[in-house]
Amino acid sequence: MERENSLRERLIDVGVDLVMTDGTASLGLREIARRAGVSHGAPRRYFPTHHSLLSAIARRGFTDLEVRFAAATDHAMSARDQLRGIGRAHVGYALEHRGMFELMFRHDLLDSEKHPSGQSQLRDSTLPMFELMVELIVRLRTEQAAERRPGAPSDPAPPPAVTAAALWSNLHGLAQLWAWGSLQLALGAAPPGGAPDDSHLDQLVAAVLDAHLGPVKS
């Protein structure tokens, strides 16, 4: 059993290395098997479908991203500061590991109909992250309500889950447009291909948060 687990993990390790260096197009079963030093049919013994192997590879990315989220929020006191840390970590990871990020959020891998029944679904890895954002938005609104003057009107806001979905979508779009070079062109920033420097990244994430959560009160 230990040897079987070791071979299974080796296949995932090889897949992670491939997607990090060569992108999602490199993740064929034969190439993964070749790099792992096993027969081309060996992956089928551990992963009944190609999708299940890709999901296992992508799950490593979610584990890495969760660690980054935890580090980004560890010393942040307010809900907004934690959301800022998550936003920065999210965009930073997307730009640093474009192949893995693309794999993690592929719809066909998230679709449970693609996997054998009873198998853990990749979507299970995404929900805790989304739920964390929802919880932080609820906390932020509670904090904002406590700071509001008694009797002061409050602007209507969509449900926290809707705000979280819009915020998450905006962060995805920010990363993708930077990866394509569109934002650099619009902002007159660094040439396409690289990650934004700290000042640009902070400004962009802050603008996204302001758009969906309201500006910081002075």
Side-chain angles (χ1 to χ4, degrees):
M1 180 61 72
E2 183 176 346
R3 181 173 179 274
E4 292 292 301
N5 288 337
S6 176
L7 288 173
R8 183 182 187 279
E9 291 304 307
R10 190 198 312 170
L11 290 166
I12 299 173
D13 290 341
V14 167
V16 170
D17 289 342
L18 276 171
V19 76
M20 290 291 198
T21 56
D22 300 329
T24 57
S26 66
L27 293 176
L29 279 174
R30 285 181 176 271
E31 180 61 14
I32 292 174
R34 187 185 71 81
R35 296 282 188 102
V38 298
S39 68
H40 68 267
R44 296 290 188 186
R45 296 204 301 267
Y46 312 102
F47 302 97
T49 66
H50 191 194
H51 276 91
S52 61
L53 173 54
L54 296 182
S55 292
I57 295 167
R59 195 169 284 110
R60 289 280 189 87
F62 279 110
T63 299
D64 188 11
L65 189 55
E66 286 173 359
V67 170
R68 293 183 182 220
F69 277 15
T73 59
D74 188 38
H75 300 295
M77 299 299 293
S78 70
R80 191 184 189 96
D81 285 343
Q82 291 190 45
L83 285 164
R84 182 183 299 111
I86 285 174
R88 203 179 189 287
H90 192 83
V91 175
Y93 186 86
L95 295 172
E96 185 180 347
H97 301 301
R98 289 178 59 185
M100 177 62 84
F101 196 79
E102 177 186 347
L103 183 69
M104 289 161 61
F105 292 99
R106 272 179 49 178
H107 176 73
D108 58 334
L109 296 182
L110 295 172
D111 184 357
S112 59
E113 294 180 0
K114 295 286 186 181
H115 302 283
S117 60
Q119 182 176 314
S120 177
Q121 309 302 331
L122 186 61
R123 70 171 70 248
D124 297 337
S125 298
T126 69
L127 290 176
M129 294 184 175
F130 180 72
E131 289 165 356
L132 173 60
M133 294 181 70
V134 174
E135 291 171 6
L136 288 173
I137 289 168
V138 171
R139 272 186 50 200
L140 173 64
R141 290 180 179 175
T142 301
E143 292 169 3
Q144 291 172 332
E147 294 171 357
R148 196 176 301 122
R149 295 192 312 273
S154 60
D155 295 329
V162 173
T163 299
L167 177 58
W168 195 10
S169 300
N170 204 159
L171 292 169
H172 265 66
L174 191 164
Q176 187 61 74
L177 288 172
W178 191 277
W180 286 339
S182 302
L183 283 181
Q184 296 92 315
L185 180 63
L187 297 174
D197 60 30
D198 286 346
S199 62
H200 271 117
L201 184 53
D202 286 338
Q203 289 174 2
L204 289 166
V205 170
V208 170
L209 291 178
D210 287 350
H212 296 286
L213 307 175
V216 177
K217 302 294 184 182
S218 57

